[in-house]
Amino acid sequence: MEEKELILIIDFYGQYNQLIARRVRECNVYSEIVPYKISIEEIKKKNPKGIIFTGGPSSVYEEGAPRCDKEIFNLGIPVLGICYGMQFMTDSLGGKVQKAEMREYGEIPVKINNNSKLFEGLEDSSVCLMSHTDYVEQIPEGFKIIGTTDNCPAAAIENEQRKLYGIQFHTEVNNTANGTKIIKNFLFNICRCKGDWHMDSFAKEQINHLKNKIGNKKALCALSGGVDSSVAAVLLHKAIGKNLTCIFVDHGLLRKNEGDEVEQVFRNQFDINLIRVNAEEQFLSKLEGVTDPERKRKIIGEEFIRVFEKEAKKIGAVDFLVQGTIYPDVIESGLGEAATIKSHHNVGGLPDYVDFKEIIEPLRDLFKDEVRKLGLELGIPENLVYRQPFPGPGLGIRVIGNITKDKLEILRDADYIFREEVKIAGLEKDLNQYFAVLTDIRSVGVMGDYRTYDYTIALRSVKTVDFMTAKWSKIPYEVLEKVSSRIVNEVKHVNRVVYDITSKPPATIEWE
Ligand code: XMP
């Protein structure tokens, strides 16, 4: 593949490290996050056009504070240090960092020198997000101050000749008014990037790369119908056509019509070699009488792998196994101490007994929104590309307690109505996840002249960025009213609908 422009983001455990990477990529420059322990040789090998240091929770003068090799400042590669990154730069080059008497936090006006290449085109005063306790008391030799606040005499510094820049504030966060402009200035004025990283070129490059790598060999992909595996599958298909086989395990716990929709897109639209395994009976029999959520997850995950393996065995040995791993998965499991590792997410891990030589992860460099862009680029329908997240164990963890076919049917119909009304109300893009839950409560109702004793459906909808925390969404009453009235009228055995008004924490998004 052609050498692409790269900005290296050196992670000092900053909470915004992914945001920095995304801001850079939004400017059409490819960026990669690496741990601060990266060696100078590795940096040289990667040959970046520029380096950004993230912030981080440490104080640079404390023992054990994260530091990378000082040689980094002598490579002639432009460096932008953000917050801790600036303090580390200062400390390493002979300046002094001190604890401030007062922590400076919030959106604060910074007086800036817009003669600096970093601040070109900005007003003299710019509101920036400050969040720090330490500050640069004395700048290193050869540097000058290019930004100040009332409490922070050196809020931005530069050594133009050595192309070293430091800012105390967080440009990467949305509420820093000119954040993107500053990042652009760094990329284009200082690092001299061209900004030619686009999704269409990425798609072409990847397809070519996969073609060359796989040649006439065979690849196998587990398709779930979710965004990541779908995009990975289509990308591979464009590269190697019928040498790719996709196995789609329908565990019978999908939403209404979902299995058929997946089949329609992949078999009919793309003409992908697709094997759909209808394993509903098998899954339901394993799940019979099981009420504990974690056991359900385990059973579904394991069964999924068994079914996949059985199908894969029929195909025989393959050379490559395709996985839909994306960049946040790589960062979360690969960067060391600060990484948060999700536990229960994703169905079951890797199949043990599939005969393959190598794993291929064509999306491992992309963020979710980039995967979506790529999906659209490849011609995958919008409703699939923007599909809300759906857990691997599916409706199995949305039928509370014991799962039966009848209960799944009730839930599917109720959930479908909810989704349909959200769409009609134009709320789809506003809500990050929304679904129905079949509680195992039955209660008394009255319908016509008759007493009923039927199920309660709970509606759940949240707004969230990362799904780690979430707020319940304030769906207009009129929409809820319509959904509720349609569900009790159209879905048999439901006589009550409730709306979940708990945020996460303390509740989780799913009920189980
Ligand atoms: P919770 O319920 O933990 O959910 O607040 C956070 C996000 O993760 C999804 N989720 C799962 N995804 N397997 C998955 O693949 C699971 O077992 C699982 N449990 C929860 C959930 O839908 C939400 O998006």
Side-chain angles (χ1 to χ4, degrees), residues 297 344-346 389 391-393 397-398 433 467 504 508-510:
R297 278 194 172 81
H344 56 272
H345 299 167
N346 280 330
I397 53 167
R398 292 183 183 168
Q433 203 173 3
F467 296 88
K504 172 184 179 177
T508 50
I509 297 174
E510 302 289 347

